[in-house]
Amino acid sequence: MKHLTPLKLSIYGGMILGFLMLESPAIMLANRIEPMLMGLPFLLVWNLFWWFLLTALFLVAYLTNWGSPAPTNNHAIKQL
C-alpha cells in the first residue's frame, strides 16, 4: 500500500473495468447487430472500444513505470 498512488489506483480500476466489460456477462448487453456504427455491428464496436481503452491504459502504465517502486535516494546513488 505504500507505493499505491492515485495514478496507479486509477490504472488498476480502469483495467478491471475494461476486463469486466470484455469478459463478463455484461457483454450480453452489447450482443446486438443494430445499431451499425461505421458499417460495423455494435458488438464488434463494443469490443474494439474496450480493447482500445485497455491498450491506452497499458501504454500509460508503461510510460509511467507503474510496476516499479518509487526510486529512493539510496537506489539513485547505487546506480551512479
Side-chain angles (χ1 to χ4, degrees):
M1 290 294 174
K2 182 179 175 183
H3 302 290
L4 214 49
T5 63
L7 177 64
K8 288 182 183 180
L9 280 175
S10 61
I11 290 172
Y12 281 124
M15 286 181 189
I16 290 171
L17 176 68
F19 281 123
L20 284 177
M21 296 311 266
L22 282 174
E23 303 295 333
S24 71
I27 198 165
M28 297 304 288
L29 298 172
N31 191 10
R32 302 171 188 209
I33 295 177
E34 298 288 334
M36 300 281 278
L37 300 172
M38 295 180 291
L40 297 173
F42 185 68
L43 179 62
L44 185 58
V45 173
W46 176 274
N47 281 335
L48 289 175
F49 170 76
W50 288 109
W51 276 112
F52 174 76
L53 181 81
L54 283 173
T55 303
L57 278 174
F58 287 135
L59 178 65
V60 169
Y62 173 75
L63 293 176
T64 57
N65 204 11
W66 72 308
S68 300
T72 60
N73 289 339
N74 293 338
H75 182 70
I77 291 171
K78 287 180 183 177
Q79 288 192 356
L80 292 176

